[in-house]
Amino acid sequence: MDLDSAAPTTSRRGLIGAVGAVGLAGVAALGAARPAAAAPISPTGAETDLLRAAMELELTAEALYRAAIDAGLSDVAGELAAVFADNHVAYADKIAGTAGFSANALNTEVFELLEAGFSTSDVDEFAAAATALENTAVATHTALLAEYESVNAKRLTASIIVVEARMATVLTDLGGLASSLDDVFAPDADALDLAGASS
């Protein structure tokens, strides 16, 4: 897997610039629904590697949140970490179920790259690391959305994008990281290049 950042084909910034934050879910849904007449319903063989890489990213995020909890993160931040970890493992299970494989592996390269930022009980440090993770996950799933052909892959990915964007907003607020609305609605985050590889 290439860990170099890659600008997404269709960026979250571009989507929001076009229709505003409130319309993000609608745009994602339209992207999934528009080609439905010609598109396959279930994921194709060509999509399987991308879906596996997306699943591994979700399990990696879950493991990073668990690392923060293990490091002593507590109170509201610890509760958020536990809920968000559960969200990520649920999405990994949904991706795996949609594609027909087991959710049983994380991306060790990404985990090792980000683990130090999550191995903290400091709320501000955790919030910064977790906000960056969620924004990167959103950018990555947005890039993958443009690569999928099947209706089920697109619909599931669109739902993940919307919820993980909301999670990033909560974390931004937790850490007091926003100096303007652009920091919330148009964060500076690039997609990970997951194309054609899984760990």
Side-chain angles (χ1 to χ4, degrees):
M1 169 182 168
D2 185 357
L3 288 180
D4 292 336
S5 293
T9 304
T10 304
S11 70
R12 180 176 170 208
R13 183 185 299 271
L15 286 173
I16 293 172
V19 299
V22 174
L24 179 58
V27 169
L30 282 174
R34 191 173 294 130
I41 300 299
S42 297
T44 65
E47 292 172 314
T48 301
D49 284 346
L50 293 177
L51 288 164
R52 188 177 299 279
M55 176 274 295
E56 291 177 353
L57 180 60
E58 291 299 311
L59 288 183
T60 302
E62 186 249 351
L64 289 166
Y65 282 112
R66 300 290 180 206
I69 295 168
D70 290 345
L73 192 69
S74 60
D75 298 326
V76 172
E79 291 176 11
L80 279 178
V83 170
F84 289 179
D86 288 344
N87 287 352
H88 282 292
V89 77
Y91 281 137
D93 287 339
K94 288 180 181 179
I95 292 168
T98 296
F101 50 72
S102 297
N104 57 7
L106 55 76
N107 188 307
T108 55
E109 291 178 83
V110 175
F111 180 80
E112 290 171 1
L113 182 68
L114 302 180
E115 182 182 13
F118 281 82
S119 296
T120 180
S121 60
D122 182 89
V123 174
D124 290 341
E125 291 179 8
F126 162 76
T131 299
L133 171 67
E134 296 300 341
N135 284 328
T136 297
V138 168
T140 301
H141 284 302
T142 300
L144 291 173
L145 182 64
E147 300 296 321
Y148 297 139
E149 296 179 17
S150 67
V151 173
N152 287 349
K154 287 183 178 238
R155 284 179 177 166
L156 175 57
T157 301
S159 71
I160 293 171
I161 290 168
V162 172
V163 175
E164 291 184 356
R166 291 173 179 169
M167 289 161 61
T169 301
V170 170
L171 290 160
T172 298
D173 182 65
L174 176 70
L177 302 173
S179 59
S180 70
L181 287 178
D182 278 348
D183 292 336
V184 177
F185 296 123
D188 186 15
D190 292 329
L192 294 175
D193 183 5
L194 302 179
S198 64
S199 63

